[in-house]
Amino acid sequence: GKQGGTADSEENRPLWQKCRKGFLFPKYVKKEKKIMIITLKDGSTKEYSAPMTVLEIAKDISEGLARATTAGEMDGEVVDLRHRVDRDCSLSILTASDPEGLAAYRHTTSHILAQAVKRLYPQAKLAIGPSIADGFYYDIDIEGGFTPEDLEKLEGEMKKIVKENLEITRFTKPREEAIALMKERQEPYKVELIEDLPEGAEISFYQQGEFIDLCAGPHLMSTKPVKAFKLTSLAGAYWRGDEHNKMLTRIYGTAFPKKAELDEYLTMMEEAKKRDHRKLGKELGLFMMHEAGPGFPFFLPKGMILKNTLLDYWHELHERNGYQEISTPIILNRSLWETSGHWDHYKNNMYTTVIDEQDYAIKPMNCPGGVLVYQSEPRSYRDLPLRMGELGLVHRHEKSGQLHGLMRVRCFTQDDAHIFMTPEQIKDEIKGVVKLIDQVYSLFGFEYHVELSTRPEDSMGSDEDWELATDALRGALDDLGLSYAVNEGDGAFYGPKIDFHLQDSIGRTWQCGTIQLDFQLPLRFGLEYTGADGEKHRPIMIHRVAFGSIERFIGILIEHFAGAFPTWLAPVQVKVLPISEKFLDYGEKVLAELKKAGIRAELDVRSEKIGYKIREAQSLKIPYMLVVGAKEEEQSLVAVRSRFKGDEGQSSLAGFTEAIQKEIASKEIKKVEIEEK
């Protein structure tokens, strides 16, 4: 109290009390710990008072989850198991059952492959080795390339690396040290990759045993979990996809967490080889490729029947749904493509030419031509929606290494349609297109899933237009009750889109149908219509395809049906097989009646035994065979054999004709009830 304060004031407390309270030494005061809240995939939360790695959080949830986890997803970004979580966030613990988790598993397998390559072939130079949709690959520069026998050796070495249970660690280096490390290890492709990274970028490496690779990750914690893998094929690949660069050897492989899954995949791949459309296309006489025009398919007579039958269905479907058909030129001048935006955004994929000293382009898309047709006369709101369909031949420059039968070509027929409409009509038109595409895929027995693709980095148009367009597509899908995934940043440069990924009979997926909503082309071309108010308004445009590329869709159908097309689609629906030359006249009479009824039929006039004729007709996947001999001729009958039931017994020609006409008209896909030999 003598110092002027009360006896219990802070100033009069003894020094030891002040220390205890932290007045003189505040760092000794116990501070309240900050709580970090982690929101998990199921909506539950975990609280931590210190940073935790993804793996540590997985262990805290359950030891089983920690053993299965391959990566994490933090606030939508895939991260490594070693990643330190130090703030509130949403976190998904990924396993191989998640696409991103399986990708991390396979990415680790690609590093095991690269380590095996360096052990067995130290002179090899490594390029890149990412995970891909159905596995992984690694591009390697090695004199003389690899052989299938080399793949077996590499698989054996990979198994040794897995058995060694090598810990996988991550470290980073500044740019100059990173370059020096890769130069020391004599990896010129890695040096080039580092030199191309932006200033200030984090340069990370992963190490397992003696092997070090430049990599952003993510990866597993060790090599031990990688058990079920297979190196599947070899291919050539230009460094960085540039045909002016060196050709490297690409080793493809796949990996699964369970051997049963790998076996199932390999069985599917074997089935896919049998169904390869290039092989069947040749055997069934459907199409050919020629060195005179790489990437430009030749359709043979039977292939043209198949193609035209598909196009007949297309015409019937679109007429029923209120479309008008148009046809626009293949070559149009540069000015048009500049206005459309293709010259700036798509020029590398376009073929160009010069006419009368002016630049022209062979069309890669039909849409600008459709816009010119809309512009050709004044339009009123009463004309809308205006649905215009076009089977347009388009050309796109594809690199030679990417060409693949009918699946990846340089010219194809696109079953385009362009719909011009008012803002109020958007949702109903999108629904109508979705229903039309569903009708097409259901006809062929395809299941499918839907993706909504949003604005890419290289795009044109205002934020408001993109938001309105994206919301319109999302709203239509929601109204139809369709489940869909959002594919961020994968829209067209002029608008968002809905993509349809169909699944074939052996489980593979193909992207075919698409719906793109476009505010930009109507703006760039100054399209107008007169509204009910007498004023000028700008229409909105839908681009859509159902088949996609007719050629590619035929390739998919060949593989989906293994060449055994439904009767309505089969190039030859009936083969007439006389038992001997004595019955050729009756065979000719049967053939004439079938053709008169509109049935695609052929007569086998060869002097071969009937068993041989039947086997050959079966190998050509012909739906029906009509065997004719003495008994059939006497009673005006035919002996029916089918691809579906085998021997179906005798029938009157009229009865058979009526039955097959009904099957063709209904476009029925009949089930095979006998085991194929």
Side-chain angles (χ1 to χ4, degrees):
K2 293 180 181 178
Q3 301 300 320
T6 61
D8 59 351
S9 68
E10 302 297 351
E11 291 82 1
N12 292 325
R13 289 184 185 278
L15 181 60
W16 68 271
Q17 285 188 348
K18 292 180 182 180
C19 291
R20 186 185 66 183
K21 296 291 290 183
F23 297 124
L24 295 182
F25 302 102
K27 68 180 180 180
Y28 293 114
V29 175
K30 186 177 181 181
K31 296 181 181 178
E32 183 179 344
K33 290 185 178 179
K34 183 181 177 182
I35 299 296
M36 179 174 68
I37 301 173
I38 308 299
T39 305
L40 300 174
K41 184 162 51 176
D42 62 0
S44 64
T45 59
K46 302 284 284 185
E47 295 183 357
Y48 301 101
S49 57
M52 301 273 282
T53 66
V54 173
L55 183 60
E56 287 169 342
I57 294 172
K59 283 182 179 177
D60 186 49
I61 296 170
S62 87
E63 286 292 336
L65 179 61
R67 286 193 296 272
T69 186
T70 58
E73 186 175 358
M74 182 176 170
D75 289 339
E77 179 184 356
V78 177
V79 295
D80 196 270
L81 293 173
R82 303 154 189 81
H83 184 81
R84 285 172 64 81
V85 181
D86 58 4
R87 58 179 171 80
D88 294 356
C89 67
S90 62
L91 180 69
S92 294
I93 306 298
L94 303 177
T95 69
S97 61
D98 301 294
E100 300 86 352
L102 184 57
Y105 184 91
R106 288 170 168 171
H107 196 179
T108 297
T109 315
S110 80
H111 276 216
I112 294 172
L113 165 61
Q115 185 175 13
V117 168
K118 294 299 286 186
R119 283 186 177 183
L120 298 181
Y121 309 93
Q123 75 278 16
K125 309 300 179 192
L126 303 177
I128 59 172
S131 64
I132 54 177
D134 55 357
F136 60 89
Y137 69 78
Y138 217 113
D139 287 346
I140 299 158
D141 184 358
I142 185 169
E143 191 69 31
F146 291 102
T147 66
E149 291 73 24
D150 294 329
L151 295 189
E152 292 181 21
K153 295 176 189 174
L154 287 168
E155 278 186 15
E157 191 63 34
M158 290 171 71
K159 290 174 183 175
K160 290 179 185 177
I161 294 168
V162 169
K163 195 173 182 180
E164 289 170 23
N165 189 19
L166 300 175
E167 181 185 4
I168 301 174
T169 58
R170 180 183 185 273
F171 63 91
T172 61
K173 282 187 175 292
R175 174 184 292 269
E176 294 309 315
E177 290 183 27
I179 290 172
L181 175 63
M182 289 295 99
K183 282 183 176 178
E184 178 188 342
R185 299 180 75 86
Q186 299 182 36
E187 297 291 0
Y189 296 100
K190 305 293 184 180
V191 171
E192 185 178 328
L193 290 171
I194 296 170
E195 289 174 341
D196 287 351
L197 290 173
E199 290 292 335
E202 183 180 67
I203 301 171
S204 61
F205 297 85
Y206 282 81
Q207 181 168 2
Q208 54 200 49
E210 81 287 355
F211 178 71
I212 296 174
D213 204 352
L214 171 72
C215 189
H219 284 285
L220 306 182
M221 300 301 291
S222 77
T223 61
K224 185 179 180 181
V226 179
K227 297 285 177 65
F229 58 83
K230 179 72 177 174
L231 301 182
T232 53
S233 63
L234 294 164
Y238 292 110
W239 169 234
R240 294 193 149 180
D242 186 337
E243 55 199 281
H244 300 103
N245 289 338
K246 186 170 184 179
M247 175 74 80
L248 308 177
T249 300
R250 177 169 292 179
I251 300 178
Y252 282 101
T254 193
F256 293 88
K258 295 179 181 177
K259 186 177 183 300
E261 293 174 310
L262 175 64
D263 290 343
E264 183 182 346
Y265 173 80
L266 295 176
T267 299
M268 185 192 78
M269 293 305 293
E270 283 302 311
E271 181 63 25
K273 284 181 186 177
K274 297 176 190 173
R275 294 168 177 260
D276 190 321
H277 75 284
R278 295 166 299 179
K279 171 178 171 286
L280 289 172
K282 183 177 181 180
E283 291 174 359
L284 302 178
L286 302 175
F287 72 94
M288 61 177 260
M289 309 300 289
H290 197 278
E291 61 185 12
F296 298 95
F298 291 69
F299 274 88
L300 305 176
K302 286 184 171 58
M304 279 306 299
I305 293 171
L306 174 60
K307 185 176 181 180
N308 285 332
T309 303
L310 272 178
L311 297 185
D312 288 344
Y313 169 65
W314 185 93
H315 285 112
E316 171 195 322
L317 180 69
H318 284 73
E319 184 176 350
R320 202 164 60 232
N321 283 273
Y323 287 79
Q324 303 174 44
E325 188 176 3
I326 62 170
S327 177
T328 63
I330 289 178
I331 300 177
L332 295 163
N333 68 18
R334 172 176 176 169
S335 174
L336 176 80
W337 301 108
E338 286 177 334
T339 302
S340 70
H342 289 87
W343 197 268
D344 293 329
H345 295 270
Y346 204 73
K347 187 172 183 293
N348 291 340
N349 293 91
M350 296 166 68
Y351 295 112
T352 59
T353 187
V354 176
I355 303 174
D356 296 336
E357 300 180 357
Q358 287 188 43
D359 289 332
Y360 281 73
I362 302 173
K363 68 177 178 181
M365 299 177 184
N366 298 308
C367 30
V371 167
L372 295 185
V373 172
Y374 179 91
Q375 260 184 338
S376 65
E377 60 180 272
R379 305 290 180 180
S380 159
Y381 73 96
R382 293 187 180 91
D383 301 321
L384 306 183
L386 179 59
R387 307 182 188 108
M388 296 192 298
E390 177 173 13
L391 293 164
L393 185 65
V394 299
H395 291 71
R396 297 180 185 177
H397 176 61
E398 301 285 358
K399 293 173 182 175
S400 57
Q402 297 173 319
L403 300 175
H404 179 73
L406 295 178
M407 303 301 195
R408 197 70 176 263
V409 292
R410 287 173 168 159
C411 80
F412 55 91
T413 305
Q414 195 163 42
D415 71 315
D416 259 325
H418 298 103
I419 304 173
F420 300 88
M421 65 212 155
T422 69
E424 297 76 23
Q425 294 168 335
I426 293 176
K427 192 177 283 190
D428 285 342
E429 287 304 303
I430 293 169
K431 289 180 185 177
V433 174
V434 170
K435 289 175 182 176
L436 183 146
I437 292 175
D438 175 76
Q439 189 175 347
V440 171
Y441 293 170
S442 298
L443 175 65
F444 297 103
F446 290 120
E447 294 181 1
Y448 63 88
H449 70 269
V450 178
E451 287 184 1
L452 172 62
S453 299
T454 60
R455 186 176 190 172
E457 288 184 15
D458 181 19
S459 61
M460 57 186 189
S462 68
D463 292 344
E464 293 77 14
D465 281 350
W466 274 89
E467 185 177 356
L468 179 60
T470 306
D471 287 347
L473 293 181
R474 183 180 280 112
L477 291 174
D478 290 341
D479 283 359
L480 289 167
L482 282 178
S483 60
Y484 58 92
V486 177
N487 196 355
E488 296 288 353
D490 200 41
F493 67 84
Y494 48 78
K497 60 178 181 170
I498 297 171
D499 287 326
F500 294 78
H501 298 261
L502 59 85
Q503 181 174 306
D504 69 14
S505 58
I506 59 172
R508 297 169 301 176
T509 56
W510 310 87
Q511 195 273 308
C512 289
T514 188
I515 306 170
Q516 299 169 352
L517 194 54
D518 186 0
F519 287 75
Q520 308 311 321
L521 280 188
L523 175 65
R524 292 173 79 93
F525 280 91
L527 302 188
E528 294 179 335
Y529 67 91
T530 303
D533 57 2
E535 299 296 321
K536 296 294 184 183
H537 300 271
R538 181 158 291 117
I540 292 134
M541 185 177 180
I542 285 177
H543 309 249
R544 55 111 286 212
V545 294
F547 293 127
S549 152
I550 298 294
E551 287 73 7
R552 184 167 179 263
F553 197 76
I554 287 173
I556 293 168
L557 287 178
I558 292 171
E559 298 197 0
H560 178 59
F561 291 116
F565 302 108
T567 304
W568 74 273
L569 202 54
V572 178
Q573 295 164 328
V574 178
K575 194 87 165 185
V576 181
L577 307 177
I579 288 176
S580 70
E581 292 181 359
K582 290 191 296 183
F583 306 105
L584 280 179
D585 288 345
Y586 183 59
E588 290 279 6
K589 181 181 176 183
V590 169
L591 179 68
E593 288 298 316
L594 292 171
K595 288 188 172 182
K596 185 178 176 182
I599 297 163
R600 296 189 291 271
E602 289 182 348
L603 175 67
D604 191 333
V605 298
R606 297 172 303 167
S607 56
E608 298 284 355
K609 291 183 178 179
I610 191 63
Y612 178 84
K613 290 182 178 182
I614 290 171
R615 286 192 299 274
E616 189 171 81
Q618 288 172 332
S619 71
L620 293 173
K621 320 284 188 181
I622 293 169
Y624 291 95
M625 292 151 275
L626 300 184
V627 179
V628 293
K631 189 175 181 181
E632 286 78 23
E633 184 174 19
E634 288 171 10
Q635 301 178 32
S636 296
L637 300 173
V638 289
V640 181
R641 293 188 65 88
S642 76
R643 199 178 63 210
F644 318 106
K645 296 181 179 180
D647 186 355
E648 294 193 22
Q650 290 182 324
S651 167
S652 67
L653 181 56
F656 170 79
T657 301
E658 183 180 352
I660 194 174
Q661 283 178 323
K662 286 180 181 177
E663 183 185 334
I664 292 168
S666 68
K667 297 182 173 59
E668 179 186 358
I669 299 178
K670 295 186 80 170
K671 291 183 179 179
V672 175
E673 299 178 15
I674 56 169
E675 186 177 344
E676 290 188 27
K677 296 182 180 179

